[in-house]
Amino acid sequence: MDGELVCNFKKCRKRLSGYAWVSSCSHIFCDEDGTREFNKAYTCPACESNLSGKFDIVRIDLQPSEQYKSMVLAGQKPEVVMEVCTRALSFWTYQAHQERTYQEFLASKAKEKVVQLEQYYEQIIGRTQTELNTLKTQLLGVKKDLDSTKKKYNEVSEKLMERSRQYQKLQSLYDGLRRKSITHSTFETDGGQDNRPGPHTFKHHNHISVTTGEDFLMRSKRHQEHSAIDFGPPQTNSLSEKDFVFKPHATPTLSASDTNLSSVQDRFNLEIGTPSGRR
């Protein structure tokens, strides 16, 4: 108790100094609580004992003056003085024991709370550990799914790149074949339209000097074979090819009247150009 008394009122429990109220049941109260409670009834606020006697309740000064100390027991017999001192020491011993009991009670309550809190936090730690293990398991599963997804993505990316390369190759082959397959008929308009030469039609006038019909047939045959090698078999359904069919004639001979060389050449002059469509 460190040499100080404590108010025995349950709601107060403060250190006492100055004036205090002492009861015959060995309890002590501060001046405020004792005055309030004893004005209500002569009952001990700590143990509810009846204090109806004249000296059952005494108001004392805990810091008495030197004059009080010299006169309070003056004239008393040693036996009385020793009895008073014995009872005073017994009161002090009881207060010390009561305070120690009260502190032990508080300590036991605190220990119980500590045990309950330990159990509570152990349960929380257990649940947290279980949730943590579950989350770790889910994280491993998600990582596996992510790795498999990345692997599939890489495979699909490689397939896409391979398909892109194949597409580029096919596109280049297609462009090459398209350039090779361009013929004279691609510059003509579609069927059902006017096939007459327009302002953008390329027309060339060349003079071919034909000696014999057999020579012309041989040249046409070689030209067709060359076209079949480069661009495939000739298309005979084209209107332009039908216009360019030549029938060989016998080699003309000079008569007596055709002695002029220019007239003979004019007879065999051919005009090459885009033929007009038939209507």
Side-chain angles (χ1 to χ4, degrees), residues 8 12 22 42 82 88 96 109 128 130 134 160 169 171 179 193 219 222 254 256:
N8 295 153
C12 182
V22 179
Y42 294 108
M82 292 300 297
K109 289 293 183 180
T128 305
T130 304
T134 304
L160 179 61
K169 289 180 180 179
Q171 186 68 28
R179 287 193 297 269
Q193 296 180 357
R219 291 181 181 178
R222 285 197 299 269
L254 293 176

Side-chain angles (χ1 to χ4, degrees), residues 76-93:
Q76 298 293 335
K77 295 181 180 180
E79 295 83 1
V80 176
V81 173
M82 292 300 297
E83 186 177 358
V84 172
C85 291
T86 301
R87 292 185 180 182
L89 291 174
S90 298
F91 178 82
W92 187 270
T93 303

Side-chain angles (χ1 to χ4, degrees), residues 206-223:
N206 294 325
H207 295 281
I208 299 177
S209 195
V210 181
T211 57
T212 61
E214 293 179 356
D215 190 11
F216 180 77
L217 288 176
M218 291 298 294
R219 291 181 181 178
S220 301
K221 185 176 181 181
R222 285 197 299 269
H223 179 69

